[in-house]
């Protein structure tokens, strides 16, 4: 979140500054390719990320079926993504490993795209090839539209987006997984804005599933992309005139960039409400998390407002205030990453049982957590890189020396944030996988203990039961 909260140039030529307009599609393409890296590493280390992302949805559906007394397959399920998984900022993957007692529910997508065929399966190779294809298409559309046709940058961007939409809608078997991914993303996006609070209904609010938390966090890293889309709207509205250098000109881009943080904070408040209704002792953690996302909004808004200021003295004051806000947000977010999102530096038994903790003698396992699926060196490396990239905004102090203009600096910080998010994904999904496995082990142990108690009590109850014990005279007659 921290490195992508500053904004580039907003005002200028009515045709649109090329660097500003090319940022959004370039960062999205990078996010798709980096998710391909995540998929590869998840499979390499044996983490069923689809199951991790969709387990809450499966449990929610099973609880709904038990509540309604349904014991048959439900073909009208709203779990559009249970079979495919949600990819934040990118495509999805068909779930071949997740086992559910119910039949996979249909989605709004045609059933041909829900199968387990090679065309529908998402792999790291497909994601990387898709991202490279998008990058090539972006380059070709800008070169042809600007250099050969003599059009503007804003026209080249619209041509690129139209070409991508047409390519996805073509009913080709090789792009079926992309259409499935897009429908899944649309469905999860609807769930992000779907009211779950008690004011919109009676009873307990619906808990936020992990897949929506994961997706919303990814959108927070892409908040600058939403800002650029809002700016693109302004440029198109005022075309061919430049965007007026006034306060109202930053409202739409700023609101668009703030939406992910508002959504994520609302999710935290919903979970806090559920915790309060259940008298959960740890409900305060959701409130602290909501405060963390609120600290992400102010740097974004101040940075956008700074572009409208012409007084140099006021600009200097806003710059100092912005640095303080960025420092607070980066430190708060980094601490939350390590302790809450990754489950590290809490206690020696955070990732497993006491026996597991004793079996690890390395300092890394003791300080971080006993279970490190990627190994201690890799986990420490990810932790170190996350620390550095959380404070990538300090490059602003050398902006004039390292970058030709402000937009190049913003593009660099957006790339760094995309890289940081992809590394964050690895440890976040790993920690969620550990928590889910631990919960399953605890449930299994409880079931075993209950069965042992039943087995211990059952013979005594049968021997004392007048129905289960036959009279001696009756047994004598049977033998004779």
């Amino acid at each position: 979140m921290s490195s992508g909260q500053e904004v580039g140039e907003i005002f200028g030529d009515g045709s649109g500054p090329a660097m500003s307009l090319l940022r959004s599609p370039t960062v999205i393409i990078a996010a798709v390719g980096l998710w391909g890296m995540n998929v590869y590493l998840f499979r390499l280390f044996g983490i069923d990320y689809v199951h991790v992302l969709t387990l809450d949805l499966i449990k929610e559906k099973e609880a709904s079926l038990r509540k309604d007394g349904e014991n048959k397959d439900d073909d009208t399920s709203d779990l559009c993504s249970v079979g495919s998984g949600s990819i934040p900022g990118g495509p999805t993957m068909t779930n071949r490993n997740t086992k559910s007692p119910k039949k996979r529910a249909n989605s709004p997508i045609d059933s041909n795209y829900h199968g387990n065929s090679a065309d529908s399966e998402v792999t790291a190779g497909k994601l990387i090839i898709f991202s490279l294809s998008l990058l090539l298409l972006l380059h070709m559309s800008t070169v042809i539209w600007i250099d050969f046709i003599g059009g503007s940058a804003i026209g080249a961007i619209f041509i690129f987006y139209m070409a991508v939409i047409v390519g996805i809608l073509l009913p080709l078997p090789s792009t079926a997984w992309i259409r499935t991914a897009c429908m899944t993303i649309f469905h999860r996006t609807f769930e992000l804005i779907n009211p779950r609070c008690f004011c919109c209904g009676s009873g307990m609010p619906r808990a936020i599933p992990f897949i929506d938390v994961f997706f919303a966090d990814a959108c927070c890293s892409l908040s600058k992309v939403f800002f650029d889309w809002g700016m693109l709207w302004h440029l198109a509205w005022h075309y061919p005139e430049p965007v007026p250098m006034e306060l109202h000109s930053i409202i739409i881009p700023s609101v668009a960039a703030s939406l992910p943080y508002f959504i994520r904070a609302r999710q935290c408040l919903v979970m806090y409400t559920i915790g309060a209704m259940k008298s959960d002792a740890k409900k305060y953690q959701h409130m602290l998390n909501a405060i963390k996302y609120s600290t992400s909004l102010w740097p974004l808004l101040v940075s956008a407002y700074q572009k409208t200021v012409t007084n140099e003295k006021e600009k200097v004051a806003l710059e100092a205030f912005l640095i303080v806000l960025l420092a607070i947000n980066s430190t708060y977010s980094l601490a939350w990453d390590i302790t809450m999102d990754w489950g590290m530096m809490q206690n020696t038994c955070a990732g497993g049982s006491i026996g597991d903790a004793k079996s690890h003698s390395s300092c890394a396992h003791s300080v971080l957590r006993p279970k490190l699926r990627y190994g201690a060196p890799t986990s420490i490396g990810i932790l170190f890189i996350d620390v550095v990239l959380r404070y990538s905004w300090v490059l602003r102090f050398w902006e004039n020396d390292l970058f030709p203009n402000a937009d190049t600096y913003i593009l660099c910080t957006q790339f760094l944030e995309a890289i940081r998010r992809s590394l964050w994904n690895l440890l976040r999904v790993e920690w969620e996988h550990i928590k889910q496995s631990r919960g399953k082990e605890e449930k299994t142990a409880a079931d075993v203990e209950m069965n042992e108690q039943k087995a211990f009590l059952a013979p005594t109850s049968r021997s004392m039961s007048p129905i289960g014990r036959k009279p001696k005279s009756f047994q004598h007659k049977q033998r004779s």
Side-chain angles (χ1 to χ4, degrees):
M1 288 182 292
S2 305
S3 61
Q5 292 168 328
E6 302 167 83
V7 302
E9 298 299 329
I10 304 174
F11 314 106
D13 185 8
S15 61
M19 180 65 69
S20 301
L21 296 177
L22 290 173
R23 278 199 307 255
S24 298
T26 305
V27 173
I28 292 174
I29 292 170
V32 173
L34 289 170
W35 180 253
M37 178 204 70
N38 287 151
V39 171
Y40 173 78
L41 292 176
F42 288 145
R43 289 185 170 181
L44 181 64
F45 288 92
I47 297 178
D48 187 359
Y49 76 97
V50 178
H51 179 71
V52 173
L53 291 175
T54 59
L55 181 61
D56 288 342
L57 296 177
I58 296 173
K59 289 182 177 180
E60 186 180 87
K61 182 60 182 177
E62 291 176 348
S64 176
L65 292 177
R66 287 195 299 268
K67 183 178 179 181
D68 297 338
E70 297 177 6
N71 296 317
K72 60 181 180 179
D73 295 339
D74 185 1
D75 293 332
T76 59
S77 172
D78 62 345
L79 300 184
C80 175
S81 60
V82 170
S84 56
S86 178
I87 305 297
T92 58
M93 170 182 176
T94 52
N95 182 3
R96 302 191 306 174
N97 300 322
T98 304
K99 295 181 179 180
S100 173
K102 303 296 177 184
K103 182 181 177 180
R104 177 181 299 171
N106 292 337
S107 73
I109 313 169
D110 186 83
S111 59
N112 293 332
Y113 304 147
H114 257 297
N116 292 329
S117 63
D119 291 336
S120 298
E121 181 183 359
V122 172
T123 63
K126 284 183 178 181
L127 288 167
I128 294 174
I129 292 175
F130 180 58
S131 63
L132 293 176
S133 301
L134 290 177
L135 186 61
L136 179 61
L137 177 61
L138 178 63
H139 176 72
M140 291 178 59
S141 60
T142 53
V143 169
I144 293 175
W145 186 261
I146 296 177
D147 295 341
F148 288 93
I149 301 179
S152 62
I154 188 172
I157 297 302
F158 277 111
I159 291 296
F160 167 74
Y161 284 128
M162 288 178 60
V164 171
I165 294 173
V166 171
I168 292 176
L169 292 179
L170 288 177
L172 300 176
S174 58
T175 58
W177 65 276
I178 303 177
R179 289 186 288 276
T180 303
C182 292
M183 291 300 297
T184 302
I185 291 174
F186 291 151
H187 182 78
R188 298 327 311 169
T189 302
F190 171 76
E191 288 298 321
L192 292 184
I193 61 177
N194 184 26
R196 291 172 177 260
C197 54
F198 61 90
C199 59
C200 299
S202 58
M204 182 78 67
R206 292 173 56 205
I208 308 296
F210 175 67
I211 189 173
D212 290 343
V213 173
F214 191 76
F215 186 39
D217 277 330
C219 291
C220 289
S221 288
L222 297 176
S223 65
K224 186 59 190 61
V225 172
F226 296 111
F227 185 95
D228 291 340
W229 282 346
M231 184 183 67
L232 181 63
W233 173 272
H234 261 301
L235 289 170
W237 181 264
H238 292 281
Y239 184 82
E241 300 296 327
V243 178
M245 194 171 180
E246 298 175 0
L247 184 61
H248 70 83
S249 299
I250 68 170
I251 293 179
I252 293 180
S254 299
V255 170
S258 303
L259 279 178
Y261 300 110
F262 279 118
I263 290 173
R264 190 65 189 91
R266 186 185 71 104
Q267 289 180 338
C268 297
L269 294 178
V270 170
M271 295 305 297
Y272 175 82
T273 302
I274 295 176
M277 297 177 70
K278 291 183 177 181
S279 300
D280 185 3
K282 295 183 178 181
K283 63 179 182 297
Y284 69 92
Q285 295 178 355
H286 300 294
M287 184 60 68
L288 293 177
N289 202 12
I291 296 174
K292 182 196 73 172
Y293 286 103
S294 68
T295 64
S296 303
L297 292 172
W298 299 109
L300 184 68
L301 299 177
V302 172
S303 178
Y305 174 71
Q306 193 180 29
K307 301 301 179 180
T308 66
V309 175
T310 56
N311 187 290
E312 290 298 328
K313 186 176 181 180
E314 187 177 358
K315 277 188 175 182
V316 173
L318 287 174
E319 179 72 11
F321 184 49
L322 178 61
I323 291 174
V324 172
L325 292 176
L326 289 171
I328 293 174
N329 174 251
S330 298
T331 305
Y332 198 155
S333 301
L334 176 63
W336 195 272
D337 283 348
I338 298 173
T339 58
M340 303 304 298
D341 289 340
W342 298 342
M344 296 180 175
M345 298 185 181
Q346 295 183 359
N347 54 72
T348 56
C349 301
S353 61
I354 297 177
D356 293 334
K358 293 181 179 179
S359 64
H360 296 286
S361 58
S362 68
C363 179
H365 286 88
S366 301
V367 173
L368 301 182
R369 49 176 153 80
K371 291 184 179 181
L372 297 173
R373 196 67 176 265
Y374 304 106
T378 302
S379 300
I380 294 175
I382 294 175
L383 178 60
F384 176 76
I385 295 174
D386 186 75
V387 172
V388 173
L389 295 184
R390 275 293 185 186
Y391 293 92
S392 62
W393 54 266
V394 299
L395 291 173
R396 67 187 297 110
F397 297 123
W398 300 278
E399 179 181 336
N400 295 329
D401 299 330
L402 298 176
F403 306 99
N405 52 57
D407 283 317
T408 306
Y409 159 69
I410 298 300
L411 178 61
C412 177
T413 57
Q414 283 186 268
F415 273 128
L416 293 177
E417 174 62 15
I419 294 172
R420 189 202 66 80
R421 176 60 62 178
S422 66
L423 297 176
W424 180 91
N425 290 340
L426 298 175
L427 294 182
R428 182 66 184 93
V429 173
E430 177 206 22
W431 175 235
E432 191 67 20
H433 173 72
I434 291 174
K435 291 193 297 182
Q436 291 176 358
S437 300
R438 185 175 59 186
K440 184 178 180 181
E441 292 173 359
E442 292 175 352
K443 183 177 183 300
T444 302
D447 292 341
V448 170
E449 183 179 358
M450 183 178 296
N451 292 333
E452 289 177 351
Q453 292 178 354
K454 290 181 178 179
F456 176 77
L457 296 175
T460 304
S461 60
R462 284 196 301 267
S463 62
M464 297 178 62
S465 172
I467 300 177
R469 185 175 54 193
K470 298 179 180 180
K472 290 183 179 180
S473 59
F474 182 78
Q475 296 175 3
H476 178 71
K477 290 181 180 179
Q478 280 188 329
R479 284 196 300 269
S480 59

